[in-house]
Amino acid sequence: MVTGAQRYTLDLDVPGAKPCVVRRPPTFGGTVRSVANLADVRAMPGVLHVVTVPTGVAVVAETFGQAITAKAALRVTWGPGPADQLSDAQIRTRLRAATPPLLVPPLLTPYVDAEFDFAFVSHAPMETNCAVADVTDDRAEIWSGLKSPIVARQTIAADLGLPLDKVTVHVVQAGGSFGRRLFFDAALEAARISRACRRPVRLMWTRVDDTRHGRMRPATHHRIRATHLLGEVLSFEHRVAAAETDFRHGLGEIITATAAHLPLGIGNATLAQTLFLTTVKSPYHFGLTTQALTEVPTGIPTASWRSVYSANTRGAEEIMVDELAAATGKDPYRFRRTFLKTDAQRAVLDKVATEGNWGRPMEPGRAQGIAFHEEYKSRTACLVEIDVRDPQRARVTKAVIAVDVGLPVNPRGLEAQMIGGLTDAISTTLRAGLHIDKGLPLEGSYSQFHWAQQRDTPRDVRVFVLPATGTEPGGAGELGVPAAVGAIANAWARATGSKPRSFPLDFDVDFTPYPR
């Protein structure tokens, strides 16, 4: 990968496969009603085919440059999509209305309340959605980066009306995914285009396509209340309302994928609730603890994003832990240490507090933050330092992470996973999000979707992999994001004196959107 020798989907030499791009609707899920200048576009230099598919109007040409030029020239009349009237304000209103009420605290019992909003987030892999397809009357062969190749093959066979044994799907190394390639949009789209054109095609989504029409992490609203008395936490309630996460890829094959399509979202909701209740747990002795999820269908294309529910849910809870500590007059590190349930949990927390020199004096505008997370039989703590003296560019300047996965098999791989989780958290906590405006994101590229760049990442990052504490390895891929989200938000709160409530924290539209 570093030298450029790795071969990805569009690097493959599939005989006869010609470049292909798709003109996509101006809103999510819009449909093609008519194309006014079809003959003129077909006559443009290099253009081989112009065909309509369910997702838009595809152009196949001798080069990608010719295909993109012809795509831009198309004059298409579009039908509506399912989310045309939705913008950020309406989405937040829906989510807040769907959030169940909290219990009324007992008379004279002190409590802490908070509500949090998290924006939609793009998966933003370096490699955009792409696929190569060669479909004839009696067989199909597809190449693409896929995380669910079995259900992809089964679905493509059914869509093309071919026997399963006549469809071959090749899984190619993907240039990033983070959950995005659980869905096989490009593979199915390329197969449809190849069948319509009766030739092999090399489909590429542009960066604007991928940012605006790709699937995304759902927006969420969180309502949390904790009661406390005499230094003890009596109850901790967390109600989450989220735009529906699409699990209609099922568990990777056609039976559960079909079940997930049951009417009224019943099947999809079952998968959502199962994942939420399996992964979201409080590590603290906080008395009566309840965590509940309500999902709201929006028509906006979503998919699992790294850490799925945990990044927002546990991130918000770790912010609340800091505010509980302040309400009871306790230091955030000591407060966590008191209420964590096990010695193994305290060990990672102690490690980052010691190695990160928790509580050291810092000048105004700079501060530390700390947080903890446990998931998939693994546990981690994160301590960060932040500098907000430039209000236009808050920066995480230092991070110390400790991780205990039971049995570490690949320590350098663990280190990379935790640094990746930290980078995701820096991005989505500080600047990276999608503005939804009348059924489409305003963002269309990396210059507009503000993912962390090298200048945003701390130069001082230390990851401590604890020695084996068990005989089986726990998970690490999802582990690194939630604690880092909480630590960054808590550091920002201490540095600014403000309570973080809406993420990303810096979410201005500081760009001119591309045309729809």
Side-chain angles (χ1 to χ4, degrees):
M1 295 179 184
V2 173
T3 64
Q6 176 68 52
R7 286 166 62 81
Y8 298 94
T9 299
L10 293 183
D11 296 321
L12 301 178
D13 184 15
V14 176
K18 293 297 185 178
C20 174
V21 294
V22 175
R23 177 70 178 270
R24 302 186 186 280
T27 59
F28 297 124
T31 55
V32 179
R33 283 185 170 167
S34 63
V35 181
N37 59 339
L38 195 57
D40 291 341
V41 174
R42 283 175 172 161
M44 291 179 68
V47 173
L48 302 172
H49 304 275
V50 181
V51 296
T52 297
V53 291
T55 47
V57 182
V59 178
V60 181
E62 293 288 352
T63 70
F64 275 114
Q66 291 169 332
I68 291 170
T69 299
K71 180 190 77 165
L74 287 164
R75 296 202 304 271
V76 184
T77 300
W78 299 97
D84 286 8
Q85 304 307 312
L86 282 184
S87 299
D88 284 337
Q90 288 84 7
I91 293 165
R92 289 195 189 99
T93 298
R94 282 194 188 185
L95 295 180
R96 289 174 181 173
T99 309
L102 300 167
L103 297 176
V104 177
L107 188 65
L108 302 180
T109 302
Y111 63 93
V112 178
D113 273 6
E115 296 192 37
F116 303 92
D117 289 296
F118 290 81
F120 284 94
V121 173
S122 172
H123 289 77
M126 291 291 287
E127 180 191 36
T128 62
N129 231 7
C130 57
V132 178
D134 182 5
V135 178
T136 65
D137 290 338
D138 59 355
R139 62 161 187 84
E141 194 167 5
I142 295 96
W143 296 258
S144 190
L146 299 166
K147 297 185 75 171
S148 303
I150 296 173
V151 69
R153 178 174 176 244
Q154 293 168 326
T155 304
I156 290 168
D159 190 84
L160 298 177
L162 290 174
L164 188 60
D165 63 359
K166 297 299 183 182
V167 177
T168 302
V169 170
H170 301 279
V171 180
V172 185
Q173 173 72 47
S177 175
F178 322 109
R180 170 66 182 88
R181 298 181 205 276
L182 287 165
F183 285 92
F184 41 90
D185 316 54
L188 177 59
E189 190 174 55
R192 288 169 169 171
I193 296 167
S194 178
R195 178 180 60 180
C197 297
R198 306 183 70 82
R199 72 178 310 146
V201 298
R202 189 183 303 273
L203 171 69
M204 177 182 71
W205 288 36
T206 67
R207 178 62 60 190
V208 176
D209 290 343
D210 214 56
T211 306
R212 285 185 162 176
H213 292 276
R215 294 173 179 271
M216 60 199 76
R217 183 182 80 176
T220 59
H221 179 71
H222 303 254
R223 189 172 292 160
I224 306 176
R225 173 174 292 162
T227 61
H228 60 93
L229 188 66
L230 301 176
E232 292 294 326
V233 180
L234 306 180
S235 66
F236 192 93
E237 300 173 77
H238 189 170
R239 304 289 179 263
V240 184
E244 182 184 66
T245 300
D246 195 342
F247 292 108
R248 291 174 178 85
H249 47 72
L251 301 179
E253 41 59 56
I254 201 70
I255 296 174
T256 54
T258 301
H261 283 81
L262 287 172
L264 303 177
I266 294 171
N268 195 75
T270 299
L271 288 171
Q273 293 294 335
T274 299
L275 186 62
F276 180 84
L277 296 172
T278 300
T279 59
V280 176
K281 307 284 186 184
S282 173
Y284 302 104
H285 284 298
F286 277 171
L288 178 62
T289 299
T290 57
Q291 295 153 313
L293 169 71
T294 301
E295 291 208 313
V296 179
T298 61
I300 295 173
T302 61
S304 299
W305 188 96
R306 190 177 187 181
S307 295
V308 196
Y309 296 109
S310 299
N312 296 358
T313 302
R314 286 287 300 121
E317 289 182 358
E318 287 298 307
I319 300 169
M320 191 69 166
V321 173
D322 257 40
E323 296 185 13
L324 260 175
T328 57
K330 302 291 177 60
D331 171 81
Y333 157 59
R334 294 289 175 188
F335 184 81
R336 283 178 172 80
R337 199 179 192 288
T338 298
F339 287 98
L340 283 172
K341 296 176 180 178
T342 69
D343 289 340
Q345 294 170 335
R346 285 184 282 272
V348 292
L349 186 70
D350 290 344
K351 186 67 173 177
V352 298
T354 300
E355 298 291 346
N357 193 13
W358 171 259
R360 74 181 184 90
M362 302 188 73
E363 59 193 283
R366 300 182 64 198
Q368 294 178 315
I370 196 169
F372 175 88
H373 180 60
E374 184 173 61
E375 190 171 349
Y376 295 111
K377 300 181 181 179
S378 299
R379 56 212 57 84
T380 184
C382 179
L383 182 154
V384 303
E385 295 184 359
I386 201 167
D387 185 343
V388 299
R389 289 173 296 179
D390 178 358
Q392 302 301 315
R393 201 77 186 188
R395 287 195 66 244
V396 175
T397 57
K398 177 179 179 179
V400 180
I401 300 168
V403 56
D404 171 11
V405 297
L407 178 64
V409 175
N410 178 1
R412 290 302 302 274
L414 281 170
E415 181 181 349
Q417 287 282 13
M418 304 313 291
I419 293 173
L422 172 68
T423 304
D424 289 345
I426 289 171
S427 303
T428 58
T429 306
L430 296 181
R431 299 190 72 216
L434 295 174
H435 294 85
I436 307 300
D437 178 61
K438 296 180 181 177
L440 199 73
L442 294 179
E443 286 76 9
S445 70
Y446 281 131
S447 66
Q448 300 173 348
F449 177 63
H450 295 312
W451 203 255
Q453 301 175 22
Q454 280 191 313
R455 64 177 178 172
D456 301 309
T457 59
R459 296 180 181 180
D460 184 359
V461 180
R462 287 176 288 161
V463 179
F464 296 92
V465 178
L466 272 59
T469 57
T471 58
E472 295 182 355
E478 316 278 17
L479 187 66
V481 183
V485 169
I488 294 164
N490 289 334
W492 184 89
R494 290 162 67 91
T496 63
S498 302
K499 293 182 178 181
R501 291 294 183 263
S502 185
F503 298 93
L505 293 163
D506 181 0
F507 198 35
D508 292 335
V509 180
D510 56 359
F511 56 88
T512 300
Y514 294 110
R516 292 178 179 245

